[in-house]
Amino acid sequence: MDLGFYQGGAEAVRLGEEFHHNGLAIACAQIGRVPRGMATAWPRIALAEVTLDLLRERGNDVRRHLVTDVVPFEEGPALLADLAARRRSTMTAVLAFDSA
């Protein structure tokens, strides 16, 4: 399951070799859209409602298994600099805002 966005391409991923030798299949998504053939069955409002239901029911699991970093908003620039310089390994980062 690919949830990444490859602005500069993904040559190092070597998908052709993996498809051929290991018979992989890829499922991926784009932000805010569903596959073309399902667009009438999943309008944006329905997709948003199902997503919110999932987060209400399994939000703690999502946080525990997918979010690797929660950092204060003020540390966001340092986080991005670390990621760009490959000094930090992060699957998903969330910027936290002070609620006060």
Side-chain angles (χ1 to χ4, degrees):
M1 181 65 69
D2 180 19
L3 300 174
F5 181 69
Y6 305 103
Q7 287 179 308
E11 295 81 18
V13 178
R14 303 176 60 104
L15 291 177
E17 192 173 301
E18 291 299 323
F19 285 127
H20 180 72
H21 294 295
N22 297 318
L24 294 184
I26 286 194
C28 62
Q30 289 180 312
I31 297 170
R33 80 176 282 276
V34 295
R36 284 179 183 88
M38 298 181 70
T40 56
W42 285 101
R44 291 179 79 93
I45 190 80
L47 185 60
E49 288 171 349
V50 170
T51 301
L52 290 172
D53 288 344
L54 171 71
L55 290 173
R56 284 184 197 105
E57 184 178 325
R58 303 296 300 266
N60 289 334
D61 292 332
V62 170
R63 167 62 183 99
R64 186 171 42 258
H65 298 291
L66 296 178
V67 177
T68 56
D69 296 79
V70 177
V71 299
F73 176 77
E74 298 78 24
E75 295 178 22
L79 168 71
L80 293 176
D82 285 347
L83 292 172
R86 299 181 185 265
R87 291 187 296 260
R88 189 172 188 152
S89 178
T90 297
M91 183 175 0
T92 304
V94 173
L95 298 179
F97 294 85
D98 184 4
S99 61

